[in-house]
Amino acid sequence: MKLKNWIWPAALLLLGGCSNDENPAPNATNAEAMAFTVIGEDLNRVFQFSYDSETKSEITIDLSQDLGVGPNYLTLRQTDDLLSFYSFSGGRFSISLKEITTGNTRVFDDFYTNTPERSITWGINNANKVFFGYFGPFGNSNLGLQDVELEGPNSSDVVVEFNVGATFDPLLYDNKVYMAFRDNLGNHKLTYYNVETKSMGPSLSFGTTPFGFFITGEGELAIVKNEANPSLERYDALDLSFLESRTLNVALGFSIGAVNDAVLIENQLYFNFIYPQPSRFIKGPAIYDLDTQEITLLDIGGLVNQAEAEVGKAIQIISLIYDPTQSIFLIGYGTLEDEVEGGVLVVSETGDLLKQFSLPFFPTYFVRN
């Protein structure tokens, strides 16, 4: 089985698509207001599936045809409603852009050539520019950021930190590229690059404690420390000043760097719980109350059993996310047989299966609202 960090393996190409509307939703109010968009792949192509119950529309778009992107693309980024597919071949980066709201697309083939001067470690972008984190000059452990225009010859570089040992996934929010890294002394740090001023902002150091980070529903920076006594800290997203700290009575298992599947609304944290192994599941939807310190794990086993009964095949969870605009969890799955067959479960906060969709591809990324 071959996985990109979120890409599911496939075996055969199926054409066409359908959804399953036979099961009535237990919660009609939520189901009637439901809408979502998911990206996925089969062996040869990349697809976008959008559902909107208000207009009763189900639309499947072949993104490989529209954007020229294949299922072996390097990574997928989202900034607001802009999706960006990165590809790398022959020492050159290509990027394919699609605006979900308007449907507009732009493709920049081989727009950036990688050279020994810079060892690229990540890339992230808005509609006009790509920001590459890199080690350089050649053979050097200094971390830099290159600001590259998509439609123009201009680019500029800034030094982020000297003597860096590792970098982690970045986050672009409010014209700031937040980046986490570990220096050669083992200290974990965070800083940001201001896109408008083309300058570095303040920085935070957490010693040898690794951490994940994300932006809360209130627009604050949340830091989740992965240590023996885990905690969640909030900082002002502009000046990185400390706001508060909450002790956690459970390790959340967040990856180091930007966390894209966590949502914090006031004191309710919606996230993907990592199950201790061995377990049938790697992760499942969960809600953590920062005030009561109580964690609620949705019955992922029961939901999977319902889905398997519907499709008549064993399935495995591929992707899941909480949508705060609709108060629902979206769970993507793939069947465990030779056919390329996947689906989406729409689940309420209380764990009720509101709707199930069958798809002719594996859903790997839910578009964030």
Side-chain angles (χ1 to χ4, degrees):
M1 294 287 192
K2 181 182 179 182
L3 262 91
K4 223 163 32 170
N5 52 0
W6 29 252
I7 299 295
W8 186 255
L12 291 177
L13 170 65
L14 295 184
L15 299 178
C18 63
S19 69
N20 185 350
D21 296 334
E22 297 177 359
N23 294 333
N27 187 332
T29 301
N30 285 347
E32 288 172 1
M34 189 188 307
F36 69 88
T37 296
V38 66
I39 308 299
E41 300 85 32
D42 64 13
L43 269 182
N44 302 298
R45 310 187 81 76
V46 180
F47 297 94
Q48 172 189 322
F49 174 80
S50 298
Y51 172 78
D52 190 333
S53 59
E54 188 172 322
T55 59
K56 298 184 175 8
S57 65
E58 301 177 20
I59 301 173
T60 300
I61 299 173
D62 187 336
L63 294 181
S64 293
Q65 178 177 322
D66 286 359
L67 296 173
V69 61
N72 60 340
Y73 63 85
L74 187 62
T75 194
L76 168 60
R77 301 286 192 191
Q78 180 181 350
T79 302
D80 299 324
D81 75 334
L82 179 69
L83 297 182
S84 305
F85 296 85
Y86 287 74
S87 301
F88 184 76
S89 178
R92 292 182 291 273
F93 286 96
S94 298
I95 189 169
S96 301
L97 310 180
K98 175 163 187 179
E99 295 178 3
I100 292 297
T101 304
T102 65
N104 293 337
T105 61
R106 291 184 294 159
V107 178
F108 299 91
D109 287 327
D110 299 336
F111 80 97
Y112 183 88
T113 301
N114 196 27
T115 65
E117 181 184 357
R118 301 178 182 88
S119 178
I120 302 296
T121 182
W122 50 254
I124 199 166
N125 64 284
N126 58 23
N128 303 310
K129 294 182 175 183
V130 178
F131 311 99
F132 286 113
Y134 67 89
F135 288 107
F138 179 72
N140 200 297
S141 63
N142 297 334
L143 176 62
L145 180 143
Q146 188 176 23
D147 181 329
V148 181
E149 288 185 350
L150 276 171
E151 296 186 274
N154 298 326
S155 68
S156 58
D157 292 78
V158 296
V159 176
V160 177
E161 180 90 353
F162 297 104
N163 300 317
V164 171
T167 66
F168 307 99
D169 217 25
L171 173 68
L172 177 57
Y173 171 76
D174 194 26
N175 284 320
K176 298 172 188 64
V177 180
Y178 293 87
M179 58 196 97
F181 55 91
R182 186 182 66 242
D183 67 23
N184 285 332
L185 297 177
N187 297 307
H188 287 262
K189 300 179 179 181
L190 180 141
T191 187
Y192 68 74
Y193 170 76
N194 189 314
V195 173
E196 295 178 327
T197 64
K198 295 188 176 183
S199 62
M200 297 303 302
S203 64
L204 298 171
S205 179
F206 300 97
T208 57
T209 301
F211 63 90
F213 71 94
F214 61 96
I215 300 297
T216 72
E218 289 74 39
E220 298 165 348
L221 175 68
I223 301 288
V224 177
K225 293 183 175 180
N226 301 324
E227 51 189 344
N229 297 310
S231 63
L232 187 150
E233 297 179 349
R234 303 191 207 204
Y235 293 81
D236 184 280
L238 178 59
D239 61 18
L240 302 189
S241 60
F242 175 80
L243 299 176
E244 70 162 357
S245 178
R246 295 289 191 98
T247 300
L248 307 175
N249 63 5
V250 61
L252 301 180
F254 285 0
S255 59
I256 305 176
V259 178
N260 295 311
D261 54 13
V263 177
L264 181 60
I265 306 295
E266 295 181 348
N267 292 316
Q268 296 291 310
L269 177 64
Y270 302 85
F271 70 105
N272 295 335
F273 179 80
I274 306 299
Y275 285 93
Q277 297 301 307
S279 170
R280 180 185 177 189
F281 305 104
I282 296 176
K283 59 184 178 180
I287 306 171
Y288 186 84
D289 191 308
L290 295 180
D291 289 332
T292 65
Q293 298 282 295
E294 294 178 346
I295 185 170
T296 301
L297 301 179
L298 273 62
D299 183 10
I300 188 66
L303 292 168
V304 166
N305 289 340
Q306 291 183 67
E308 290 179 335
E310 180 62 36
V311 300
K313 301 175 183 178
I315 68 170
Q316 186 162 328
I317 302 302
I318 302 173
S319 55
L320 52 121
I321 191 69
Y322 176 74
D323 184 346
T325 66
Q326 303 179 86
S327 300
I328 56 174
F329 287 95
L330 297 166
I331 302 175
Y333 66 83
T335 60
L336 294 176
E337 297 189 5
D338 289 339
E339 294 178 320
V340 176
E341 184 177 351
V344 171
L345 306 179
V346 183
V347 181
S348 71
E349 290 185 13
T350 56
D352 295 319
L353 178 59
L354 303 177
K355 203 169 184 65
Q356 180 173 346
F357 297 83
S358 293
L359 302 171
F361 57 85
F362 297 136
T364 53
Y365 182 86
F366 289 102
V367 175
R368 278 62 169 168
N369 292 321

